[in-house]
């Protein structure tokens, strides 16, 4: 059986934690920041977890992570 290919776009966007959860960075933090509140921008700095409904498809894209 040949080796599986990692989706390179997904590999740059997701990391797997020690317990096997998938971490992602939050969206809406790159531009048009003047109209967003301080609290919202502070929350966007933190990493989020991938929702349980999407975990299977993300794990398929990063098989060796």
């Amino acid at each position: 059986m040949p080796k599986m290919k990692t989706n390179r776009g997904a590999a740059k966007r997701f990391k797997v934690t020690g317990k096997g959860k998938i971490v992602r960075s939050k969206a809406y933090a790159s531009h048009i920041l003047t109209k967003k509140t301080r609290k919202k921008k502070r929350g966007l700095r933190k990493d989020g977890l991938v929702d349980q409904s999407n975990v299977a498809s993300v794990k398929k894209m990063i098989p060796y992570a």
Side-chain angles (χ1 to χ4, degrees):
M1 184 112 182
K3 289 191 276 186
M4 292 172 70
K5 282 199 172 181
T6 298
N7 181 308
R8 298 313 294 160
K12 292 167 191 173
R13 287 173 171 82
F14 302 108
K15 287 185 297 192
V16 180
T17 64
K19 291 196 172 186
K21 294 177 183 175
I22 300 174
V23 181
R24 63 173 177 85
S25 58
K26 303 235 178 123
Y28 307 109
S30 57
H31 63 101
I32 314 176
L33 297 170
T34 50
K35 61 176 80 169
K36 292 172 186 150
T37 63
R38 246 183 249 141
K39 185 179 177 181
K40 184 172 244 343
K41 288 186 277 192
R42 202 165 50 240
L44 291 172
R45 278 186 227 144
K46 300 170 188 163
D47 288 338
L49 292 174
V50 172
D51 191 70
Q52 202 58 45
S53 59
N54 299 317
V55 165
S57 60
V58 173
K59 279 191 173 175
K60 213 176 278 184
M61 288 190 276
I62 47 173
Y64 301 108

